[in-house]
Amino acid sequence: MHQDRTGARRCRCWNALLTRGFAFLAVFALLPAPMGFSQSTKGEPPAAVSPVPKNLPGNAYVKVRVMSEETTLPAGGTGYIAIQVKVVDGWHVYWRNNGDSGAPVVVDWRVPEGVTIGECQWPVPKRYAQPGDILDYIFEGSVILIFPVTVSADIAPGTEITIGGYVQWLVCSDVCVPGAAEIRFPIGIRSASESGKQTPFAKVFAEERGQHPIPMTDPAAKIVSATWDELALVIRCEGAKSMTFFPYEAFVTPQPKEILKSGHVEGAEMKIPYDEKALGAAHVVGVVEITKSDGSIVRVLIDVPGPEKAVTE
């Protein structure tokens, strides 16, 4: 009987992975191919091969908009824009590490020459456990994805540029459906010596940054330690009531074992097992979310080298 139940769980898990994986691949089959056009010198992104599909089923459950922290971007400096992904009740989208099923929100940028979009600054997701021992990392309601935008000093102040691209997602409830939206966001360029003027969305950026994980070097993270006990990552936090660990995606870091059970604990210590792929890894990375005894929440980015020596029997 035990083997039958295990087989059934694996079957359900595999079916979910296939269903959601193929649904997300449908987005890429329908979206324009990668663009090979030279970039415009007039502040415009390269033109699309074809418009983004407007009839993808996931478009009915997700709305996307772009916002900026300041009204202009500094020439020779860095400013910030954000994409808000708003999901209808009862549905969800996925974090950078989607987990056992699903697929993350992806932004395929199209920017003019001299403009560079940096890495997404992700908020911390929710754990979402499903039958069949499936664990995903999701967002419900509204999620704000912040991106740094670096502008070359060669772009003259007073120029208006357009930041464009495609946002792609898999949105799930009882079923999963793909969606996509084209974005075009005009914004002016100011001199690096000129102070930026905040937009009405500046408060949103400040609030979101308050929810982002802090590095272990931050003074507020001194209460957290991360060490190895053979092949187990041990995270301790003084005064913690509960702790939850969110590993980054597999191409960034080795993946933990038994994360469904070990990834959340009540107490001030958690022990997360890894396999031998962690040995000698340059980075083992994830976010620990800590609820302290006073109810406050601290989120810390754990980034440590893997254990150096193999376990000996």
Side-chain angles (χ1 to χ4, degrees), residues 81-85 105 107 120-123 139 143-147 208:
I81 65 172
I83 293 178
Q84 180 187 39
V85 180
V105 176
V107 185
C120 178
Q121 299 175 2
W122 292 86
F139 298 110
V143 57
I144 304 291
L145 306 178
I146 298 178
F147 296 85
E208 286 299 315

Side-chain angles (χ1 to χ4, degrees), residues 16 19-20 36 66 72 96 112 116 128 142 146 151 153 160 162 167 188 252 259 267 270 276 283 287 290 292:
T19 300
R20 297 180 181 202
V66 187
T72 55
R96 58 180 298 163
T116 303
Y128 180 54
S142 175
I146 298 178
V151 179
E160 183 178 271
T162 299
V167 185
V252 172
I259 191 64
M270 65 192 319
E276 292 189 353
H283 299 276
V287 176
I290 301 156
K292 300 173 69 175

